[in-house]
Amino acid sequence: MSKIYKVVITAADRFVPSKLRPLWEHEAGPKTIFFWAPAFKWALVMASIDDYRRPLDRVSTTQSATLSATGLIWTRYCLVIRPINYSLSLCNFALGIANGVQCLRAYRYQSASKS
């Protein structure tokens, strides 16, 4: 772990209220990568949802299907690893669903355009 990160965590440690201590000290809490990975991965989910505004003729079904499959596969993996990472699992599930819906929308549009 970087020295800067350790200094920041040590400084913040003094200000964590007792009610939040269990979350703070959890093996998948803010002191670990298990917390920060899903925190930043939500940006990918938000970008996927934002793509709903994109014209359907410009949506890649391959990309959407790939992101959907990746999200759903990693959802299962997050429930198998130790420590179990429910927040990352939820994030991956949301990524899978968001891109699955987008893929379905694009596929329907492309099928209707060919007819």
Side-chain angles (χ1 to χ4, degrees), residues 9 12 16 27 32 40 52 78 85 92 102 115:
I9 291 298
V16 177
E27 56 188 358
T32 68
F40 286 101
Y52 287 179
C78 293
N85 198 336
N92 281 315
Q102 182 73 324
S115 301

Side-chain angles (χ1 to χ4, degrees), residues 101-113:
V101 169
Q102 182 73 324
C103 183
L104 184 61
R105 290 177 66 232
Y107 177 75
R108 284 182 178 169
Y109 174 81
Q110 290 172 3
S111 295
S113 295

Side-chain angles (χ1 to χ4, degrees), residues 27-71:
E27 56 188 358
K31 291 183 176 184
T32 68
I33 190 65
F34 299 109
F35 175 83
W36 295 108
F40 286 101
K41 194 167 187 178
W42 278 108
L44 187 57
V45 176
M46 294 301 128
S48 296
I49 292 171
D50 186 55
D51 275 350
Y52 287 179
R53 297 185 304 163
R54 179 183 292 193
L56 288 173
D57 61 333
R58 300 191 63 215
V59 172
S60 168
T61 54
T62 306
Q63 176 182 325
S64 296
T66 303
L67 278 169
S68 180
T70 301

